[in-house]
Structure formats: structure tokens, C-alpha cells
Amino acid sequence: MKALHLGEIGSVHSWDRTTDADGPGMRLVLRLSGCPLRCQYCSGPDAWLMRDGSMHTIDATMARIERDASVLLASGGGLTISGGEPLLQPAFTAAVLRGAKEIGLHTALDTSGYLGRRATDAMLDDTDLVLLDVKSGLPDIYHTVTGRDLAPTLEFARRLAERGMRVWARFVVVPGLTDAWDNVAAVGEHLAALENVERVEVLPFAQSGREVWHSLGTEYRLELTEEPDGGLLERVRTQLRASALTVV
């Protein structure tokens, strides 16, 4: 536990590679285990618990990153730390971000912002881009979706704005859960009040995580929820564009 607290080791769920999906260029995505939210539409509930991850030392983690560093640098890409929720392991996350910056990589932090107070100024100094997952705009719907409160995410978003940090916001459209007109409008109002949000990614809910829920024996409330069609996605994008946001 002391090593975890100091950031000498971390609980890792998995590694992945993406292109332009988790930040600019080719990304090496380090997905950490552990999350305080219980989002109904989560595609990876197997990453909720830290104890289910694989323990990695900071040295082993950096060795893995360094193997891909030349390719990432050549593509204009870098490292993205995701989860779960990386701020549940703040010391380890900070150490990896620092190590990535020392070898010249672009860094991105994918977070709900709920644990934003755990992000030190030093950690944010080593973060080039924040991928901010805005689950909902209205407090009651946010609580229904995640089991938690919206306020900490908004507080963290304002802090990022005060620092002038680059933010790409993300919003998942779930029919019957997050797609209500007033909820989308609230998301737009929150983000439009911040001058540092470069773009908003409107993401469609997908049933890709259904089998993971089943394998864990966890109640899956969205069993019968359909994936959003193009018309609904465009309505949400149009709403957000009306708030003078760049929407993709």
C-alpha cells in the first residue's frame, strides 16, 4: 500500500494503441484500474476495481512507453492515461506523466474530473491535453448515470480553464438516459462558459460492453437500450453547436 501511495507501483488494466481517438496522432493508451463512478453505460466495468488490475512498477511502465516512443514522436502523437479513472492513482499517474514528458512525448489525461482535486499543479504541468468526460449536464441525471455528484467535475473544469489548459470534452449519447433536451442544453451551457474547450466529441452509446457486464454477474440496466441513430446524434450535435462549441 505504501508503494501504491508513493506512486512506485500502479494497478494497470491494459494497454492499447489508437490514432486520433484519444488525443492527436498515434496514441499509446495506458488504462489504469479503479474508478469511483458506476456509469450505467460503462463499456469496461472490469476496470472498476484496483485489485483486479496487474501491478506494474514505474520503471517497467516507462520501459513499455519507451519502446513505442520513436513511433509516437514521429506521428505527432504521445501517451494517454485513461481508466477506469487515473486520478484514483494520482501519484502513479503523476510519475508516468513526468516520465513521458522527460522523453519528449505529448501527454493526455482522460478523466471524468470527479477526483480533480487529486490532480496536483505539478501533474497538470506535465499534462498537455485533458480529455474531460462530461457524463451529463443536470445534477440529477448525472447522479442517475454515475451514482455520484456533478459538482466536482464542474469545479475541475473551471480549474483547468483558469490554468488555460487544452481540453477536449466528451459526451456519450444514451437514448432514454442522457439525451434529454434540457440535459444536453446544460452540457452546452457548462462547456460554453469555459474558454479552453477546443472541441466536444459526441460519442454514441454502444452495446460493446454488454458481455463484460454479463461475465461479472453485474446488473446491466441498459440491456434493452438501443444504440442512438444518426438523427439523434445530429440533434445533439446541433444543440451543442448552438452554444458556439466546436463539435465533432
Side-chain angles (χ1 to χ4, degrees), residues 22-23 80-81 87 97 106-113 119 123-124 127-133 156-157 160 163 165-170 196-199 201:
D22 298 286
T80 298
I81 305 184
L87 294 181
L97 289 169
H106 179 278
T107 57
L109 178 67
D110 182 6
T111 176
S112 71
M123 179 197 294
L124 295 179
T127 304
D128 295 310
L129 174 68
V130 175
L131 306 174
L132 186 63
D133 299 316
F156 184 59
L160 297 177
R163 291 176 56 93
M165 293 189 66
R166 298 179 62 199
V167 169
W168 291 2
R170 290 169 157 179
N196 60 324
V197 177
E198 295 185 356
R199 71 185 204 181
E201 299 177 358

Side-chain angles (χ1 to χ4, degrees), residues 71-91:
V71 175
L72 299 174
L73 288 167
S75 75
L79 174 75
T80 298
I81 305 184
S82 185
E85 170 52 66
L87 294 181
L88 196 62
Q89 301 184 58

Side-chain angles (χ1 to χ4, degrees), residues 3-4 7-16 28-33 53-69 72 78-82 86 89 91-103 105 107:
L4 274 170
E8 296 171 354
I9 61 173
S11 179
V12 173
H13 176 276
S14 58
W15 297 85
D16 196 9
L28 179 62
V29 181
L30 168 58
R31 190 177 175 202
L32 301 183
S33 292
S54 175
M55 291 300 172
H56 286 50
T57 66
I58 186 65
D59 289 341
T61 301
M62 287 309 305
R64 172 67 183 83
I65 294 168
E66 289 167 2
R67 285 211 312 266
D68 284 3
L72 299 174
L79 174 75
T80 298
I81 305 184
S82 185
Q89 301 184 58
F92 185 73
T93 295
V96 175
L97 289 169
R98 174 90 294 267
K101 291 305 294 179
E102 287 176 349
I103 61 175
L105 290 178
T107 57

Side-chain angles (χ1 to χ4, degrees), residues 187-206:
V187 170
E189 290 172 6
H190 293 314
L191 296 178
L194 309 171
E195 297 181 355
N196 60 324
V197 177
E198 295 185 356
R199 71 185 204 181
V200 183
E201 299 177 358
V202 173
L203 305 175
F205 161 72

